[in-house]
Structure formats: structure tokens, C-alpha cells
Amino acid sequence: LSSIFFFFSLLVKRFREPKHERRPWRIWFLDTSKQAIGMLFIHFANVYLSDLTEEDPCSLYLINFLLDATLGMLLIYIGIRAVSSIVEWQQWESLRFGEYG
């Protein structure tokens, strides 16, 4: 149920953006599907871990979410900065982040 809410909130956000700044539907779909895949992965990892440890799934989900929202975001930021530096250094135009052609 929460996934449906987040999907519709992304749709609302898309239509609130100025028309000249909106991404094409295909690119918007690819970007939002990455988020959906990530949410599914976290959900199934949480179910698997709760079966292994016999812990409360809700508390494990909270721990997973907090780790993802803090440490995970820091690691992603560092990774994107590192890859962006390599792409700039090697001048690989087709691998620039946010450049969809």
C-alpha cells in the first residue's frame, strides 16, 4: 500500500514541475522504476532477515531504512563523485550522470 502511495506522489510531483523542465515519460519511468526495484529489494531482504533472526520485521525494517537513509546515501554520494571524476578524467561523454542524450 505504501508503494502505491509513493508512486502516486511521484506522479503528482511530475505534474507540478514546469512543463519545460519535465523529463520525458520514458526517462521518468526509468528513474522511478529504479526506486521501485530498490524498495522491493529492501522489502524482501527484510523478510528474509526477519525469518533468519526471528526478530520483529517492523524493527528490522526501521533499522534497514535508517541505515539506507544515512549510511547508504553517504556511500552512494561518494560512489557517484568517484565515478563522475573518472568519467570526466577519461572524457567518456556517454557515461555522464543525468545525460540521457
Side-chain angles (χ1 to χ4, degrees):
L1 185 63
S2 64
S3 300
I4 294 171
F5 170 77
F6 288 119
F7 175 74
F8 282 112
S9 68
L10 288 171
L11 271 177
V12 169
K13 178 192 171 289
R14 183 187 195 296
F15 285 112
R16 293 199 52 153
E17 294 171 344
K19 275 192 172 189
H20 64 280
E21 293 180 13
R22 285 184 198 159
R23 296 168 287 170
W25 278 106
R26 179 175 177 254
I27 293 170
W28 178 85
F29 175 76
L30 292 173
D31 285 344
T32 55
S33 66
K34 287 186 286 188
Q35 294 175 10
I37 291 168
M39 287 173 30
L40 278 172
F41 177 76
I42 289 295
H43 171 73
F44 287 116
N46 184 54
V47 170
Y48 178 73
L49 287 174
S50 66
D51 280 345
L52 281 181
T53 60
E54 297 182 12
E55 293 287 329
D56 176 30
C58 294
S59 61
L60 283 177
Y61 180 80
L62 179 63
I63 292 169
N64 284 338
F65 176 77
L66 291 175
L67 283 173
D68 185 41
T70 55
L71 185 60
M73 290 302 291
L74 178 64
L75 291 175
I76 289 170
Y77 175 76
I78 292 168
I80 287 175
R81 296 289 297 199
V83 170
S84 292
S85 296
I86 293 168
V87 165
E88 289 294 324
W89 176 58
Q90 293 292 327
Q91 297 179 351
W92 293 330
E93 299 295 322
S94 62
L95 296 179
R96 292 184 195 275
F97 285 107
E99 299 288 329
Y100 298 108

